[in-house]
Amino acid sequence: MKIFNNDIIKAIDKATMEKDGVTSLELVERAAEAISCEIISRWRPNKKVSIFAGSGNNGADALAVARLLIEQGYNPEIFLFNIGGNRLSEECRACRDKLLKLGDVDFTEVIDNFSLPALSSNHLVIDGLFGTGLNRPIEGGFVTIVRYINESQATVVSIDVPSGLLGDWNPNPINRNIIHANLTLAIQFPRLAFFLKDNSELIGEWKVLDIELNATAIKETQTNVFLVEKAEIRRAIKRRDSFASKSDCGSTLLITGSYGMMGAAVLCAQGAVRSGVGKITVHSPRCGYNVIQSAVPEAMFVADKHDIISTDMNLQHNYDAVAVGPGIGVNELTIRAFEDFLKKTNKPVIVDADALNCIALRPSLLNYLPANSILTPHAGEFDRIFGSHSSDEARLKKAMERSKRYGIIIVLKGRHTAIVRHDGKIYFNSSGNASLATAGSGDVLTGLMAGLMAQGYGPEIASLIAVYTHGVAGEIASDKHGILGVKAGDIADNIGKALKQIMTI
C-alpha cells in the first residue's frame, strides 16, 4: 500500500473530483458515512457523545458525522469552533447548515468565549478540530481544549489524525498539546506518523476507511513510502520448480556464535532451515560443534581455528549469501576477522547483532560494507553505531541519510519494522505482534533473510519477504502459545507455516 504525504493526498482528492465528477462536499459525505458506520458498529445510541469540529474540512467531516448519528438515534452535543466568525470553509459551512435543518440539535457555534462542557470517562468524544491540513503546533485556546479532553478520560475518536498531530513528520512535538485518541479513523490512507512509536499513545488503534478515491490517480501517483502487505509478498515469492534439487536452492553461510552464545547460532540456523534454502553452513568456534550438530542437524559446520571465539572469517567456498553477527561477541580478534572479511568480500552481507556492535566499536567498518548489504539493528544497536536519538522519527531520518551515504539497506526493527533503502524508499511492515519482543527473535530473522538471499532474492526483496514472514510466524506462534508465551524457537518453527499462509490465496 502506498503512503502519501498531505500534499499528495490533496492532489489525489482533486484528481478524484475532476476524473469522477464529484464535489469536495460529496467526498466529505463519503468520509462521514464511513466514520459513522464505524462508530455505530462500536457504540450504542445511548452513549454520551460530544463532537468538536474545527472550521476546515476536518470540521466538515465531524459535522456531517453528527448529522448522520442524529438520524440514527444518537443525541450528541456539538461544538463548532468558528473563532472570530467567517472562518468556516465552504464545506464546513454547508455541513453546518445541513445539520441545523434537522431542527432540535444540541449545537453551539463558538465565535469568542467558550465554556468547557462536562466530560467524563463515560463520554465518547469525536475529534474533528484539526486534520492533516494543520502545518504547525496548535496554540491559544485550542491548547486548553485539547488538554481538557485528554484529562477527561473520555474515549476519543479522531478523524483522519488526532488534532495537533501532523500527518507526516512531527519534529519536537509536545504530546500534552495533541489529542490522545483511542481510535483514529484515517481517510483512504494511513499516514507516515502512524508507524512511529513516538506517536503510538496519540493515535491509539487506527483503521483506514475507504472513500473510493480515484484508483487510477492512486496508481499513477508516485511515493517513496509504502506499507508492506500480504498481497505484495505473495507476488514476490517464487514458486519452487517440482524438479528442483538442493543445489538449485542456494547455499548460505552463517558466521555466528561463541562460547556461551551458541544459542544465537542455533536460532539463526533454525531460521535459515525453514526458509527453503538448499544448503546451510554454520561457522562458529570449535566449542559450538556439538551444539550445532545436535540442535540443527540439517546444517553443516565449519570450525574456526579458535576454541571459543571467531578469529578467521575467510570464506572456503563461494556461498550465495552470508550473514554475520548473532552471538559472535566483540573480542578484538573477532573485530579484526570481521574487518578482514569485509575488505575481501564484494557481495552484499547481512550484518546483525554482535557484528553491529563490532561496527559500533570500530565505525570505520561502515566504509568496507559491500553495496546493498543489509544492517538489521534494533533501536539500541542503531544508536550505538550512529549516535543517540531522542525519538523514532529522528532515528528514521538518520537511517535514511546513512543508507544513502553507504549504499546499504537498514532494517530498523520495531513494531512496524522499517526497511530503509538507499534509493530513498521506506517500507513499513504490517505483520507481527508483541510476541516478537523476545530474546533470539532477531537471530531467527537474520537466518531467514540469509536463506532467502541464497535462493536468488536480491537484498531489497529478501529483506521485505523475511521481515513480513517473520511477523506472520510470530502471529501463528502466539495463536498457540499466547503473546507472552512465544519464544524465538517457536517463531522459527512456524516460518514454513507462515510462508504457506502467505502463498495461499
Side-chain angles (χ1 to χ4, degrees):
M1 178 189 290
K2 294 179 177 180
I3 301 173
F4 298 112
N5 64 33
N6 297 332
D7 291 338
I8 292 177
I9 292 174
K10 289 178 183 177
I12 293 173
D13 285 345
K14 183 178 179 181
T16 299
M17 290 185 278
E18 293 173 351
K19 294 175 182 288
D20 297 350
V22 298
T23 65
S24 177
L25 188 57
E26 286 174 317
L27 292 181
V28 168
E29 290 293 335
R30 288 184 189 180
E33 288 176 10
I35 295 164
S36 299
C37 286
E38 192 64 32
I39 291 170
I40 290 168
S41 71
R42 296 175 183 241
W43 293 281
R44 296 182 178 180
N46 60 357
K47 183 71 175 176
K48 296 179 180 179
V49 181
S50 298
I51 299 177
F52 293 79
S55 58
N57 281 14
N58 196 248
D61 292 340
L63 295 177
V65 168
R67 189 189 77 249
L68 294 174
L69 290 180
I70 291 170
E71 292 174 347
Q72 294 298 317
Y74 292 77
N75 186 33
E77 56 177 353
I78 307 149
F79 302 93
L80 169 60
F81 292 85
N82 183 17
I83 305 300
N86 298 318
R87 293 180 176 270
L88 303 183
S89 70
E90 181 181 342
E91 292 79 9
C92 191
R93 187 178 299 106
C95 288
R96 176 199 62 183
D97 295 345
K98 197 170 182 179
L99 171 67
L100 293 178
K101 286 181 180 178
L102 293 178
D104 187 17
V105 177
D106 188 352
F107 173 83
T108 301
E109 184 167 348
V110 180
I111 296 177
D112 41 44
N113 295 323
F114 174 62
S115 297
L116 293 167
L119 295 178
S120 71
S121 59
N122 295 322
H123 278 76
L124 172 66
V125 169
I126 298 175
D127 160 37
L129 287 171
F130 298 99
T132 55
L134 188 69
N135 56 17
R136 63 181 186 278
I138 61 173
E139 53 192 17
F142 287 110
V143 172
T144 302
I145 296 168
V146 166
R147 291 183 183 179
Y148 176 68
I149 292 172
N150 290 339
E151 293 165 2
S152 72
Q153 301 300 309
T155 300
V156 180
V157 176
S158 286
I159 297 174
D160 224 10
V161 294
S163 289
L165 183 71
L166 310 183
D168 302 325
W169 303 107
N170 285 268
N172 304 313
I174 302 174
N175 281 11
R176 63 176 180 164
N177 293 348
I178 301 171
I179 286 288
H180 288 51
N182 300 92
L183 172 65
T184 299
L185 298 177
I187 308 303
Q188 195 69 53
F189 310 104
R191 305 300 193 265
L192 185 150
F194 292 7
F195 301 99
L196 301 177
K197 183 181 178 181
D198 315 329
N199 306 319
S200 60
E201 70 170 344
L202 307 173
I203 294 164
E205 174 193 354
W206 59 267
K207 183 173 182 179
V208 175
L209 304 179
D210 185 2
I211 63 168
E212 299 181 353
L213 295 182
N214 186 271
T216 301
I218 294 172
K219 183 178 180 180
E220 293 177 349
T221 302
Q222 301 299 309
T223 182
N224 282 332
V225 187
F226 304 85
L227 177 64
V228 180
E229 297 181 297
K230 180 179 178 179
E232 289 90 1
I233 300 302
R234 183 194 299 126
R235 287 193 294 268
I237 295 176
K238 304 170 186 176
R239 268 52 178 177
R240 178 168 292 181
D241 189 295
S242 59
F243 286 90
S245 71
K246 65 181 180 183
S247 298
D248 300 317
C249 298
S251 63
T252 187
L253 175 67
L254 309 175
I255 302 175
T256 59
S258 60
Y259 183 77
M261 291 293 290
M262 288 309 301
V266 169
L267 291 167
C268 187
Q270 289 175 339
V273 163
R274 295 291 186 182
S275 71
V277 68
K279 301 175 186 178
I280 302 165
T281 302
V282 174
H283 174 109
S284 285
R286 292 173 184 167
C287 66
Y289 175 78
N290 288 333
V291 176
I292 294 297
Q293 294 291 275
S294 300
V296 196
E298 300 87 353
M300 294 178 284
F301 186 86
V302 173
D304 192 273
K305 60 185 179 182
H306 201 284
D307 286 338
I308 63 173
I309 60 172
S310 286
T311 60
D312 181 5
M313 299 181 187
N314 290 315
L315 303 187
Q316 304 302 314
H317 301 282
N318 185 25
Y319 298 98
D320 295 303
V322 178
V324 186
I328 64 172
V330 291
N331 185 281
E332 176 61 26
L333 293 177
T334 301
I335 297 176
R336 289 181 192 173
F338 182 38
E339 181 175 4
D340 186 54
F341 163 75
L342 290 178
K343 287 179 178 179
K344 292 179 180 178
T345 190
N346 56 11
K347 290 183 177 180
V349 180
I350 299 168
V351 181
D352 183 36
D354 279 334
L356 296 170
N357 292 328
C358 290
I359 292 175
L361 292 171
R362 190 169 298 174
S364 61
L365 293 177
L366 287 167
N367 297 313
Y368 304 124
L369 290 170
N372 283 324
S373 288
I374 304 172
L375 270 60
T376 62
H378 55 59
E381 291 166 336
F382 184 90
D383 284 5
R384 283 195 285 274
I385 296 172
F386 298 114
S388 180
H389 296 80
S390 60
S391 67
D392 269 12
E393 179 172 309
R395 200 168 286 116
L396 180 60
K397 288 181 176 179
K398 178 61 71 67
M400 294 168 64
E401 173 196 323
R402 297 299 175 172
S403 174
K404 183 177 180 180
R405 175 175 175 179
Y406 294 107
I408 58 176
I409 298 166
I410 298 179
V411 177
L412 192 52
K413 294 184 287 194
R415 170 61 187 92
H416 294 288
T417 293
I419 296 99
V420 182
R421 299 189 347 190
H422 50 82
D423 61 2
K425 289 183 169 59
I426 303 171
Y427 294 82
F428 289 106
N429 185 48
S430 65
S431 68
N433 55 33
S435 70
L436 300 175
T438 188
S441 173
D443 302 325
V444 174
L445 174 62
T446 294
L448 171 59
M449 197 176 296
L452 290 168
M453 276 184 61
Q455 294 173 69
Y457 294 97
E460 299 90 347
I461 302 302
S463 56
L464 293 177
I465 297 174
V467 169
Y468 185 86
T469 302
H470 183 257
V472 175
E475 293 171 3
I476 295 171
S478 66
D479 286 341
K480 180 177 180 180
H481 300 287
I483 285 179
L484 300 181
V486 172
K487 54 187 179 64
D490 300 325
I491 301 169
D493 288 343
N494 283 287
I495 287 172
K497 291 180 181 178
L499 287 166
K500 180 180 179 181
Q501 185 183 108
I502 293 166
M503 295 170 72
T504 302
I505 297 177

